[in-house]
Structures are given as C-alpha cells and as structure tokens.
Amino acid sequence: MAEPAATDPRAFRWPKIGWAWSDPAVRWSGWVTLLFSCSVLVFILFFVAREAWPVLSSVRLAGFLYGDPWQPLAEPPLLGIRHAWLSTLLVAGVALLVAVPFGLGIAVFSSEIAPPALRAVLQPCLELLAGIPSVVYGFFGSVTLVKAFEWWWGMPAGECILAAGLILSIMVLPFVASTSYEALRAVPRELREAALSLGITRAHMIRRIALPRALPGIFAGVALGFARAMGETLAVLLLAGNAVALPGGLLDRGQPLTALLATELGEAGLGSEKYHALFAAGLVLMLVTLLINMGIWSLKTRWMRHVRSHAA
Amino acid sequence: MSAPTLLEALPPRRRLADAACTAAGWAMGLAGILLPVAIVAYLLAKGLEHVSWNFLFDAPRGNPVGSGGGIGPAILGSLALTGLGLLFAWPLGVASALFLAEYAPRKRWPAWFRFGFECLAAVPSILYGLFGYAFLAVFLNFKISLLSGGLTLGFVMLPVILIGAQEAFEAAGGAYHEAGLGLGISKWYLVRRVLLPGAMPGILAATVLAAGHAVGSAAPVLFTASVVYSRGGMDLSRPVMTLPTHLYYLVSEAVSFPHAYGTALVLVAGLLCTNGAAMALRLWMARKKA
C-alpha cells in the first residue's frame, strides 16, 4: 500500500516551475475527457433523432403514434407503433403489479423485521437476481412459465403478455426492493423508537411511521422499476410472442417497443421508411425513459434534502 | 369509551395484525432469497450435464448449426468485445470521474454532469444498439464488426464505470487528502499517491460490475457485432459470435435446448464469479476503512 504522501520526503519539495506543467495538463485533459463522455448522451439523442426525422417531420405523426397498424409490406407501407407501446405498457404494468408489492415486502422485511444475519444474505441474493442477463431470463421463462401456460390453459403457444410481464417482474424486483430499502433505512431512528416506546405494534409503526416517511424514495423505486421494465429487450423478445396485432388481453401475444426494434432493424433497408420509423420508435422509448429519469432525479434530490435537513 | 389504564393489553385485532405483518414479511423475505437460488439451481441441474471441455472449446457444428459442437467462438467473442469496450471506456470513465471529483470547480457543475451520466446509465441497452448501428456501423462505415460492437459496449459501460469511479474518488483520501493539500504538494502528485491507490478497489468493483453487465447484454451487439456462426478467428473488421446472442439464436430458432441450457449455465456461472469478485472487493474495502 502507498505510504501517506505527507511522510514522503519528495512531497516536501517546493513546487518548481518545471513541475507545474503537469497540473494544468491533467486539468485540461480531464476537461476534454469529461466533455467527450458527456457528449455521448447528446450524441445518441442527436443521432437517433436524425434518423427519425423523416417520420417526425411528415404529417403522419398521429398515424405513427396512434392511428396506423404496423404493416411495412402494405402498399403504401403503414408504419404505426400503437400495438408496440400498448404492449410495452401492458407488460410493464403486469411487471410492476407483481414486483411493487413483493419488492416493498422484501424492503420492509429487510429493514424492519429481518435479523442482521438474514439481511446480510438477502442483499447478495438480490444482487444475484440483478446480475442474471436478460436473455437468460427469457430462456428461463420460455422453458418454465411458457411451458406451464401451455399445459394449464391448453394454449397452442404459451408466449403472451402475461408470461413476459411475470418474468420482467423478477427482473425489476431487485431495483424496486433495493431503492425502497434505502428509503426505509433513511427514516430517522428516533421516529421509530418514539413510536415503539408509545406501545404500538411494529406493524402499526411500519404502516403509519416508516412507510409514509419513506414514500418519495419508494416512489422513485417504482419509477426506476418502470423504466427498467420498459427498456428490457431480450426477455420480452423471447416471451411476449412478437405478434404485430393489437393485444386485447393479458393472454394475447404482443410486441413491446424494444422487441419491435430488435425484430425489425435487421431487415430494414438503410434509409427506407421502415428504418426511419424504427428510429422514431426508439426516440419515443428514449424520451420516455429520460423523462422518468428526470422525475426520479428530482424526487431523489428532494428526498435527500429532506433527510439532510432532519439530520442537521 | 373509557380511558385506557396504563397496562392494558393490546387488543387482539392489533396483535393479530402485527403477527400477520411479521409472517408476511418473513414469507416475502424468504421467497426473495429462494427465488435467485432456485433459478441458478435449475440452470445448474439442467445444464451441468451438457457442459464439457469439448462444449467449452469446440466451434458450433451440426445442422442446423449449433445443434452440435460447442460454444468456444462465442466465449472468445464475448471476451474480446468486452475487453475492447473496456479498453475504450475505462480510461475515459476514470479520467472523467477524477476530473469531476477533484478538479471541477465545486459549484453546480458536478451535479449537472452527474445527472447527465445517470440519464446515460438509464438509457435502454437496445438504444445503444440502435446508435451503434446507425453511427458506428453505417455512418463511420465500421460495418457489423468486432470494432463496432466493442465500441458500442464501451458506450454502455462508460456511465457505470464513471459513476462508480466518482463515488470511489470522493470516498478516498479523507484526512490524507487534506494533509497533502496543506503541505502544498501539487494536485497531480496527490492524485497519484493518495487518491488513486485509495480509490482503486472501488473503481475495480465498478468496472467488474459494468463488464459483467456488458458480457450478458445481447441488445447492444445484436446489430453491431454478432453473427450466428464464426469459426473463432478474431479480427477487428469482422463480426464475432457472442454468448448472449448465441443463446438467443438457440432458443428463438429452437435449435437445441440442451445446448441452450449449457450456454445459459456458462454465462451465468461466469457472471456469478465476476460479481462475486466485485462483492469481495467491496467487502475488503469496507473492512479496510473500518
């Protein structure tokens, strides 16, 4: 390990002019790399928007977002993404419906109920869940859940919105759980102790003290889970069924936005109308994700300020 | 209702609610532990019999391709892509983080940059694929190749490494940092001798996490680097096979489920090892600090 700089004899040398160049050099190269790294976001936005521009500038934006079906082979081609964003909403909705109560339960258990030893096991387990790749979840779902659906309900093919949503719920569970857990940990200890010393039960304390106080953080966790669920590609590609019809129910096949992109981009001719429509769909996905992220950011800063002002 | 006496027992309704809450908490917590263990155990039970030396090192064979042989080129391709991405993203991420943590004027700037990088980290991986395809493969004419895919994965890893490194730099130093500044040594010397050694375990942990995530994600490389079959030669200008896209191909075309189990197991086992290493690093760091 390095010696502390203060005991190093070289550290006591007065700075010379010859030595002084390194600091500005590092400072300026740091600036350059930082600007480059940050420009990546702008660059991605710019490039996706550039490729999407022909669709956005045409008068058929309403048709693209809402009116038209996705029929790229029709004459003229009809390129609407209504089925895709509807599928995305349905799949993400199912995922959150399962993951939020479950994740919140895990967070409450981990912060209020669990003995420390169990908490120490639970955290790595959630990290393990977050570390399994999307495509493995898709594969796992297609050999377990899809097969089970086919067997239970006699479906000819078990891929459907519900299967994709259930597997997605496992994938977003760690994000919901760990963000809610952090929010619950940030609730001041004195509040808990004061409540318990008044003789109310732990359940009552959780319901009336801990959860309301942690609500902004929990909400940030839910939003994070939603953004994650929207952006997952491979699992929904394998599980949602990849059909361009408008999904009518949870057992119908669907094609979320990400699956639409992954399916069609390889076959879209460069510069074709379909190519531009796919980039426009990507732009929609990106803008919604960025909006959610801004919401999370403002929630988080407000909630942190809240915690800090209490600590002061 | 009469005023409660001092030591009145809790009403049974409350005690029941409390017991129910505790029971539900335990049930969900245990389910949260069992779920990942069950998934890994399932993959292990189904996949272990298909993994052999031959499976790990041989090229895919058979008709349709992938129903025989092994996944050697896919493992190599995934490693090469991630390595290339790290070569690009690591210096960039660490230098930017160092600047943000140490050199940037301490006003509003770092917070705004941090916001930008969190946005970048939240962008869905398929959009990196879209960007890589439109910009690297088409606009810069890198074609579908190891180079395009590696750079795309580099873009995916960059914000994760950057955020992790920034946190590591801010946690490093402490009293030594201030003592160094008080002695009037130059900032770069301070960075080299105090901050970098102190922050390195944290940076490495973030890097390992980012790399593990990148190895497993198929969406960025689907259109920038991957092919269904290659014999395993590595060339910057040629496409490669990767583990996640190979698994996707095996499952979506229903080529061979035994091979899919084997591939999934190899992928998950590799990630478990790397994530375990990152976790050990973090534990070691926490112990050193204590």
Side-chain angles (χ1 to χ4, degrees), chain A residues 91-147:
Chain A
V91 167
V94 171
L96 284 190
L97 222 56
V98 180
V100 169
F102 193 13
L104 202 55
I106 289 179
V108 167
F109 174 73
S110 179
S111 99
E112 313 288 332
I113 300 173
L118 208 57
R119 186 185 306 157
V121 179
L122 194 55
Q123 295 304 323
C125 277
L126 289 180
E127 279 179 35
L128 169 60
L129 218 47
I132 297 177
S134 179
V135 63
V136 173
Y137 274 112
F139 168 61
F140 178 74
S142 73
V143 290
T144 53
L145 212 53
V146 166
K147 291 278 179 294

Short mmCIF file of all heavy atoms in Angstrom, two decimals, chain A residues 91-147:
data_model
loop_
_atom_site.label_atom_id
_atom_site.label_comp_id
_atom_site.label_asym_id
_atom_site.label_seq_id
_atom_site.Cartn_x
_atom_site.Cartn_y
_atom_site.Cartn_z
N VAL A 91 -47.08 -4.98 -20.55
CA VAL A 91 -46.04 -5.83 -19.97
C VAL A 91 -45.44 -5.17 -18.73
O VAL A 91 -45.31 -5.79 -17.67
CB VAL A 91 -44.94 -6.10 -21.03
CG1 VAL A 91 -43.73 -6.70 -20.38
CG2 VAL A 91 -45.46 -7.01 -22.10
N ALA A 92 -45.12 -3.86 -18.85
CA ALA A 92 -44.53 -3.16 -17.71
C ALA A 92 -45.54 -3.07 -16.56
O ALA A 92 -45.17 -3.16 -15.39
CB ALA A 92 -44.07 -1.78 -18.12
N GLY A 93 -46.83 -2.91 -16.91
CA GLY A 93 -47.86 -2.84 -15.88
C GLY A 93 -47.95 -4.14 -15.09
O GLY A 93 -47.96 -4.12 -13.85
N VAL A 94 -47.98 -5.27 -15.80
CA VAL A 94 -48.02 -6.56 -15.12
C VAL A 94 -46.79 -6.71 -14.23
O VAL A 94 -46.88 -7.12 -13.06
CB VAL A 94 -48.08 -7.72 -16.14
CG1 VAL A 94 -47.91 -9.05 -15.44
CG2 VAL A 94 -49.38 -7.69 -16.90
N ALA A 95 -45.62 -6.34 -14.79
CA ALA A 95 -44.38 -6.49 -14.03
C ALA A 95 -44.43 -5.69 -12.74
O ALA A 95 -44.09 -6.19 -11.67
CB ALA A 95 -43.18 -6.04 -14.88
N LEU A 96 -44.91 -4.44 -12.82
CA LEU A 96 -44.95 -3.61 -11.61
C LEU A 96 -45.99 -4.11 -10.62
O LEU A 96 -45.79 -4.07 -9.42
CB LEU A 96 -45.24 -2.16 -11.98
CG LEU A 96 -44.07 -1.40 -12.58
CD1 LEU A 96 -44.40 0.07 -12.68
CD2 LEU A 96 -42.82 -1.59 -11.74
N LEU A 97 -47.14 -4.58 -11.16
CA LEU A 97 -48.21 -5.08 -10.30
C LEU A 97 -47.71 -6.19 -9.39
O LEU A 97 -48.15 -6.33 -8.24
CB LEU A 97 -49.35 -5.60 -11.18
CG LEU A 97 -50.76 -5.26 -10.76
CD1 LEU A 97 -50.92 -3.76 -10.61
CD2 LEU A 97 -51.76 -5.83 -11.76
N VAL A 98 -46.78 -7.00 -9.90
CA VAL A 98 -46.22 -8.07 -9.08
C VAL A 98 -45.01 -7.58 -8.29
O VAL A 98 -44.87 -7.86 -7.10
CB VAL A 98 -45.83 -9.28 -9.97
CG1 VAL A 98 -45.24 -10.38 -9.12
CG2 VAL A 98 -47.03 -9.77 -10.72
N ALA A 99 -44.14 -6.82 -8.97
CA ALA A 99 -42.85 -6.50 -8.35
C ALA A 99 -42.97 -5.47 -7.24
O ALA A 99 -42.19 -5.50 -6.30
CB ALA A 99 -41.87 -6.00 -9.41
N VAL A 100 -43.94 -4.54 -7.33
CA VAL A 100 -44.01 -3.50 -6.30
C VAL A 100 -44.42 -4.05 -4.93
O VAL A 100 -43.71 -3.81 -3.95
CB VAL A 100 -44.90 -2.34 -6.76
CG1 VAL A 100 -45.19 -1.39 -5.62
CG2 VAL A 100 -44.24 -1.59 -7.89
N PRO A 101 -45.53 -4.80 -4.83
CA PRO A 101 -45.84 -5.34 -3.50
C PRO A 101 -44.76 -6.28 -2.97
O PRO A 101 -44.36 -6.20 -1.81
CB PRO A 101 -47.15 -6.12 -3.73
CG PRO A 101 -47.67 -5.69 -5.04
CD PRO A 101 -46.53 -5.17 -5.84
N PHE A 102 -44.26 -7.13 -3.87
CA PHE A 102 -43.24 -8.09 -3.48
C PHE A 102 -41.95 -7.37 -3.06
O PHE A 102 -41.37 -7.65 -2.00
CB PHE A 102 -42.99 -9.04 -4.66
CG PHE A 102 -42.20 -10.26 -4.33
CD1 PHE A 102 -41.95 -10.65 -3.02
CD2 PHE A 102 -41.70 -11.05 -5.36
CE1 PHE A 102 -41.22 -11.78 -2.75
CE2 PHE A 102 -40.95 -12.19 -5.08
CZ PHE A 102 -40.71 -12.55 -3.78
N GLY A 103 -41.54 -6.41 -3.87
CA GLY A 103 -40.31 -5.68 -3.58
C GLY A 103 -40.43 -4.86 -2.31
O GLY A 103 -39.51 -4.80 -1.49
N LEU A 104 -41.59 -4.26 -2.13
CA LEU A 104 -41.83 -3.47 -0.93
C LEU A 104 -41.80 -4.37 0.31
O LEU A 104 -41.25 -4.02 1.35
CB LEU A 104 -43.17 -2.75 -1.04
CG LEU A 104 -43.37 -1.54 -0.18
CD1 LEU A 104 -42.26 -0.55 -0.41
CD2 LEU A 104 -44.71 -0.90 -0.47
N GLY A 105 -42.41 -5.55 0.16
CA GLY A 105 -42.40 -6.52 1.25
C GLY A 105 -40.98 -6.90 1.63
O GLY A 105 -40.61 -6.93 2.81
N ILE A 106 -40.15 -7.16 0.60
CA ILE A 106 -38.76 -7.52 0.87
C ILE A 106 -38.03 -6.36 1.55
O ILE A 106 -37.27 -6.55 2.51
CB ILE A 106 -38.06 -7.92 -0.44
CG1 ILE A 106 -38.59 -9.26 -0.91
CG2 ILE A 106 -36.56 -7.98 -0.25
CD1 ILE A 106 -37.98 -9.74 -2.19
N ALA A 107 -38.32 -5.13 1.07
CA ALA A 107 -37.64 -3.97 1.65
C ALA A 107 -38.04 -3.80 3.11
O ALA A 107 -37.18 -3.57 3.98
CB ALA A 107 -37.99 -2.72 0.85
N VAL A 108 -39.34 -3.93 3.41
CA VAL A 108 -39.80 -3.79 4.80
C VAL A 108 -39.20 -4.88 5.66
O VAL A 108 -38.69 -4.63 6.76
CB VAL A 108 -41.34 -3.84 4.85
CG1 VAL A 108 -41.81 -4.02 6.28
CG2 VAL A 108 -41.93 -2.58 4.26
N PHE A 109 -39.23 -6.12 5.14
CA PHE A 109 -38.66 -7.24 5.89
C PHE A 109 -37.20 -6.96 6.20
O PHE A 109 -36.74 -7.11 7.32
CB PHE A 109 -38.80 -8.52 5.07
CG PHE A 109 -38.12 -9.71 5.70
CD1 PHE A 109 -38.67 -10.31 6.81
CD2 PHE A 109 -36.95 -10.21 5.16
CE1 PHE A 109 -38.05 -11.40 7.39
CE2 PHE A 109 -36.33 -11.29 5.74
CZ PHE A 109 -36.87 -11.90 6.86
N SER A 110 -36.49 -6.53 5.15
CA SER A 110 -35.05 -6.37 5.29
C SER A 110 -34.70 -5.23 6.25
O SER A 110 -33.71 -5.31 6.98
CB SER A 110 -34.47 -6.13 3.90
OG SER A 110 -33.12 -5.94 3.95
N SER A 111 -35.51 -4.16 6.24
CA SER A 111 -35.12 -3.02 7.08
C SER A 111 -35.74 -3.06 8.47
O SER A 111 -35.19 -2.50 9.41
CB SER A 111 -35.44 -1.70 6.38
OG SER A 111 -36.64 -1.16 6.85
N GLU A 112 -36.91 -3.69 8.62
CA GLU A 112 -37.60 -3.62 9.92
C GLU A 112 -37.65 -4.94 10.67
O GLU A 112 -37.72 -4.95 11.89
CB GLU A 112 -39.04 -3.12 9.72
CG GLU A 112 -39.19 -1.92 8.83
CD GLU A 112 -38.68 -0.64 9.47
OE1 GLU A 112 -38.72 -0.56 10.71
OE2 GLU A 112 -38.24 0.24 8.73
N ILE A 113 -37.72 -6.05 9.95
CA ILE A 113 -38.04 -7.31 10.61
C ILE A 113 -36.86 -8.27 10.69
O ILE A 113 -36.63 -8.90 11.71
CB ILE A 113 -39.22 -8.01 9.87
CG1 ILE A 113 -40.45 -7.10 9.91
CG2 ILE A 113 -39.55 -9.35 10.50
CD1 ILE A 113 -41.60 -7.59 9.09
N ALA A 114 -36.07 -8.34 9.59
CA ALA A 114 -35.08 -9.40 9.48
C ALA A 114 -33.98 -9.26 10.52
O ALA A 114 -33.54 -8.17 10.83
CB ALA A 114 -34.47 -9.39 8.09
N PRO A 115 -33.52 -10.41 11.04
CA PRO A 115 -32.29 -10.39 11.85
C PRO A 115 -31.12 -10.04 10.94
O PRO A 115 -31.14 -10.36 9.75
CB PRO A 115 -32.19 -11.81 12.37
CG PRO A 115 -33.10 -12.63 11.55
CD PRO A 115 -34.12 -11.73 10.95
N PRO A 116 -30.09 -9.37 11.48
CA PRO A 116 -28.98 -8.89 10.64
C PRO A 116 -28.35 -9.97 9.77
O PRO A 116 -27.98 -9.70 8.62
CB PRO A 116 -27.98 -8.37 11.66
CG PRO A 116 -28.80 -8.02 12.85
CD PRO A 116 -29.95 -8.96 12.87
N ALA A 117 -28.27 -11.20 10.29
CA ALA A 117 -27.62 -12.26 9.52
C ALA A 117 -28.40 -12.52 8.23
O ALA A 117 -27.84 -12.67 7.15
CB ALA A 117 -27.53 -13.54 10.35
N LEU A 118 -29.73 -12.53 8.34
CA LEU A 118 -30.56 -12.81 7.18
C LEU A 118 -30.49 -11.66 6.18
O LEU A 118 -30.49 -11.86 4.98
CB LEU A 118 -32.00 -13.03 7.63
CG LEU A 118 -32.83 -13.94 6.73
CD1 LEU A 118 -32.14 -15.28 6.60
CD2 LEU A 118 -34.23 -14.10 7.25
N ARG A 119 -30.41 -10.44 6.73
CA ARG A 119 -30.30 -9.27 5.86
C ARG A 119 -29.02 -9.37 5.04
O ARG A 119 -28.99 -9.05 3.86
CB ARG A 119 -30.28 -8.00 6.72
CG ARG A 119 -30.31 -6.74 5.91
CD ARG A 119 -30.16 -5.54 6.83
NE ARG A 119 -31.15 -5.54 7.90
CZ ARG A 119 -30.98 -4.90 9.05
NH1 ARG A 119 -29.88 -4.21 9.26
NH2 ARG A 119 -31.91 -4.93 9.97
N ALA A 120 -27.95 -9.86 5.70
CA ALA A 120 -26.68 -9.98 5.00
C ALA A 120 -26.75 -11.02 3.89
O ALA A 120 -25.96 -10.99 2.95
CB ALA A 120 -25.58 -10.35 5.99
N VAL A 121 -27.69 -11.98 3.99
CA VAL A 121 -27.85 -12.96 2.91
C VAL A 121 -28.74 -12.40 1.81
O VAL A 121 -28.53 -12.62 0.62
CB VAL A 121 -28.46 -14.26 3.47
CG1 VAL A 121 -28.66 -15.27 2.36
CG2 VAL A 121 -27.58 -14.84 4.55
N LEU A 122 -29.77 -11.65 2.22
CA LEU A 122 -30.78 -11.16 1.28
C LEU A 122 -30.18 -10.21 0.25
O LEU A 122 -30.51 -10.28 -0.94
CB LEU A 122 -31.90 -10.48 2.07
CG LEU A 122 -33.19 -10.19 1.33
CD1 LEU A 122 -33.74 -11.46 0.71
CD2 LEU A 122 -34.23 -9.60 2.28
N GLN A 123 -29.29 -9.31 0.70
CA GLN A 123 -28.74 -8.32 -0.24
C GLN A 123 -27.97 -8.96 -1.39
O GLN A 123 -28.24 -8.65 -2.54
CB GLN A 123 -27.87 -7.30 0.50
CG GLN A 123 -28.63 -6.42 1.50
CD GLN A 123 -29.80 -5.67 0.88
OE1 GLN A 123 -29.71 -5.23 -0.26
NE2 GLN A 123 -30.89 -5.54 1.61
N PRO A 124 -27.03 -9.87 -1.12
CA PRO A 124 -26.34 -10.53 -2.24
C PRO A 124 -27.30 -11.31 -3.13
O PRO A 124 -27.10 -11.37 -4.34
CB PRO A 124 -25.35 -11.47 -1.56
CG PRO A 124 -25.20 -10.99 -0.19
CD PRO A 124 -26.45 -10.27 0.17
N CYS A 125 -28.36 -11.88 -2.53
CA CYS A 125 -29.32 -12.63 -3.34
C CYS A 125 -30.00 -11.71 -4.35
O CYS A 125 -30.19 -12.06 -5.52
CB CYS A 125 -30.37 -13.29 -2.46
SG CYS A 125 -29.82 -14.85 -1.78
N LEU A 126 -30.36 -10.51 -3.90
CA LEU A 126 -30.99 -9.55 -4.81
C LEU A 126 -30.00 -9.11 -5.88
O LEU A 126 -30.37 -8.94 -7.05
CB LEU A 126 -31.50 -8.33 -4.04
CG LEU A 126 -32.72 -8.60 -3.16
CD1 LEU A 126 -33.13 -7.33 -2.46
CD2 LEU A 126 -33.87 -9.14 -3.98
N GLU A 127 -28.73 -8.96 -5.48
CA GLU A 127 -27.73 -8.57 -6.48
C GLU A 127 -27.54 -9.66 -7.51
O GLU A 127 -27.35 -9.39 -8.69
CB GLU A 127 -26.40 -8.24 -5.79
CG GLU A 127 -26.41 -6.83 -5.23
CD GLU A 127 -25.12 -6.49 -4.52
OE1 GLU A 127 -24.06 -6.96 -4.96
OE2 GLU A 127 -25.19 -5.76 -3.51
N LEU A 128 -27.63 -10.90 -7.04
CA LEU A 128 -27.54 -12.04 -7.96
C LEU A 128 -28.68 -11.98 -8.97
O LEU A 128 -28.50 -12.16 -10.18
CB LEU A 128 -27.60 -13.34 -7.16
CG LEU A 128 -27.79 -14.64 -7.92
CD1 LEU A 128 -26.63 -14.84 -8.87
CD2 LEU A 128 -27.85 -15.80 -6.95
N LEU A 129 -29.87 -11.66 -8.47
CA LEU A 129 -31.04 -11.55 -9.33
C LEU A 129 -30.84 -10.46 -10.37
O LEU A 129 -31.21 -10.60 -11.54
CB LEU A 129 -32.25 -11.21 -8.46
CG LEU A 129 -33.60 -11.83 -8.79
CD1 LEU A 129 -33.47 -13.30 -9.03
CD2 LEU A 129 -34.59 -11.55 -7.68
N ALA A 130 -30.23 -9.34 -9.95
CA ALA A 130 -29.99 -8.24 -10.88
C ALA A 130 -28.87 -8.56 -11.85
O ALA A 130 -28.79 -7.96 -12.91
CB ALA A 130 -29.67 -6.97 -10.11
N GLY A 131 -28.02 -9.53 -11.50
CA GLY A 131 -26.86 -9.82 -12.34
C GLY A 131 -27.13 -10.82 -13.44
O GLY A 131 -26.35 -10.94 -14.37
N ILE A 132 -28.24 -11.56 -13.35
CA ILE A 132 -28.56 -12.54 -14.39
C ILE A 132 -28.97 -11.80 -15.66
O ILE A 132 -29.81 -10.92 -15.61
CB ILE A 132 -29.68 -13.49 -13.92
CG1 ILE A 132 -29.21 -14.29 -12.72
CG2 ILE A 132 -30.09 -14.42 -15.04
CD1 ILE A 132 -30.25 -15.21 -12.14
N PRO A 133 -28.38 -12.13 -16.81
CA PRO A 133 -28.67 -11.37 -18.03
C PRO A 133 -30.10 -11.59 -18.53
O PRO A 133 -30.72 -12.61 -18.27
CB PRO A 133 -27.68 -11.94 -19.05
CG PRO A 133 -26.74 -12.78 -18.30
CD PRO A 133 -27.34 -13.14 -17.01
N SER A 134 -30.56 -10.57 -19.25
CA SER A 134 -31.91 -10.57 -19.79
C SER A 134 -32.22 -11.80 -20.63
O SER A 134 -33.28 -12.41 -20.53
CB SER A 134 -32.07 -9.29 -20.61
OG SER A 134 -33.32 -9.20 -21.18
N VAL A 135 -31.25 -12.19 -21.46
CA VAL A 135 -31.51 -13.30 -22.38
C VAL A 135 -31.66 -14.61 -21.62
O VAL A 135 -32.46 -15.48 -21.99
CB VAL A 135 -30.40 -13.39 -23.46
CG1 VAL A 135 -29.07 -13.70 -22.85
CG2 VAL A 135 -30.76 -14.40 -24.50
N VAL A 136 -30.95 -14.73 -20.48
CA VAL A 136 -31.10 -15.94 -19.67
C VAL A 136 -32.49 -15.98 -19.03
O VAL A 136 -33.13 -17.03 -18.96
CB VAL A 136 -29.99 -16.02 -18.61
CG1 VAL A 136 -30.23 -17.17 -17.66
CG2 VAL A 136 -28.64 -16.16 -19.27
N TYR A 137 -32.97 -14.81 -18.58
CA TYR A 137 -34.34 -14.75 -18.05
C TYR A 137 -35.34 -15.16 -19.13
O TYR A 137 -36.29 -15.89 -18.86
CB TYR A 137 -34.67 -13.34 -17.57
CG TYR A 137 -34.26 -13.06 -16.17
CD1 TYR A 137 -33.26 -12.16 -15.88
CD2 TYR A 137 -34.89 -13.70 -15.10
CE1 TYR A 137 -32.87 -11.89 -14.60
CE2 TYR A 137 -34.51 -13.44 -13.81
CZ TYR A 137 -33.50 -12.53 -13.55
OH TYR A 137 -33.13 -12.28 -12.27
N GLY A 138 -35.12 -14.67 -20.35
CA GLY A 138 -36.02 -15.03 -21.45
C GLY A 138 -36.02 -16.53 -21.68
O GLY A 138 -37.07 -17.16 -21.80
N PHE A 139 -34.83 -17.12 -21.67
CA PHE A 139 -34.71 -18.56 -21.86
C PHE A 139 -35.37 -19.31 -20.71
O PHE A 139 -36.16 -20.23 -20.92
CB PHE A 139 -33.23 -18.93 -21.97
CG PHE A 139 -32.95 -20.38 -21.88
CD1 PHE A 139 -33.48 -21.27 -22.82
CD2 PHE A 139 -32.17 -20.89 -20.87
CE1 PHE A 139 -33.22 -22.62 -22.74
CE2 PHE A 139 -31.91 -22.24 -20.78
CZ PHE A 139 -32.43 -23.10 -21.71
N PHE A 140 -35.08 -18.86 -19.49
CA PHE A 140 -35.66 -19.49 -18.30
C PHE A 140 -37.19 -19.43 -18.37
O PHE A 140 -37.87 -20.42 -18.13
CB PHE A 140 -35.14 -18.78 -17.05
CG PHE A 140 -35.71 -19.30 -15.77
CD1 PHE A 140 -35.30 -20.52 -15.27
CD2 PHE A 140 -36.66 -18.58 -15.07
CE1 PHE A 140 -35.82 -21.01 -14.09
CE2 PHE A 140 -37.18 -19.06 -13.89
CZ PHE A 140 -36.76 -20.28 -13.40
N GLY A 141 -37.73 -18.27 -18.73
CA GLY A 141 -39.18 -18.14 -18.84
C GLY A 141 -39.75 -19.04 -19.91
O GLY A 141 -40.82 -19.65 -19.72
N SER A 142 -39.05 -19.19 -21.01
CA SER A 142 -39.62 -19.97 -22.09
C SER A 142 -39.58 -21.47 -21.80
O SER A 142 -40.36 -22.22 -22.37
CB SER A 142 -38.95 -19.64 -23.42
OG SER A 142 -37.67 -20.20 -23.45
N VAL A 143 -38.69 -21.92 -20.92
CA VAL A 143 -38.72 -23.34 -20.59
C VAL A 143 -39.52 -23.63 -19.33
O VAL A 143 -39.80 -24.80 -19.03
CB VAL A 143 -37.30 -23.95 -20.42
CG1 VAL A 143 -36.60 -24.01 -21.76
CG2 VAL A 143 -36.49 -23.18 -19.41
N THR A 144 -39.90 -22.61 -18.55
CA THR A 144 -40.71 -22.89 -17.36
C THR A 144 -42.12 -22.31 -17.51
O THR A 144 -43.09 -23.05 -17.67
CB THR A 144 -40.06 -22.29 -16.11
OG1 THR A 144 -39.81 -20.91 -16.35
CG2 THR A 144 -38.77 -22.98 -15.77
N LEU A 145 -42.22 -20.99 -17.51
CA LEU A 145 -43.52 -20.34 -17.47
C LEU A 145 -44.33 -20.61 -18.73
O LEU A 145 -45.52 -20.96 -18.66
CB LEU A 145 -43.29 -18.83 -17.31
CG LEU A 145 -44.34 -18.06 -16.54
CD1 LEU A 145 -44.57 -18.71 -15.20
CD2 LEU A 145 -43.90 -16.63 -16.35
N VAL A 146 -43.68 -20.49 -19.89
CA VAL A 146 -44.39 -20.69 -21.16
C VAL A 146 -44.91 -22.12 -21.26
O VAL A 146 -46.05 -22.37 -21.63
CB VAL A 146 -43.46 -20.33 -22.33
CG1 VAL A 146 -44.02 -20.84 -23.63
CG2 VAL A 146 -43.25 -18.83 -22.39
N LYS A 147 -44.05 -23.06 -20.87
CA LYS A 147 -44.47 -24.47 -20.89
C LYS A 147 -45.65 -24.69 -19.93
O LYS A 147 -46.59 -25.42 -20.23
CB LYS A 147 -43.31 -25.37 -20.49
CG LYS A 147 -42.20 -25.43 -21.52
CD LYS A 147 -42.55 -26.42 -22.63
CE LYS A 147 -41.45 -26.45 -23.68
NZ LYS A 147 -41.31 -25.18 -24.41
#
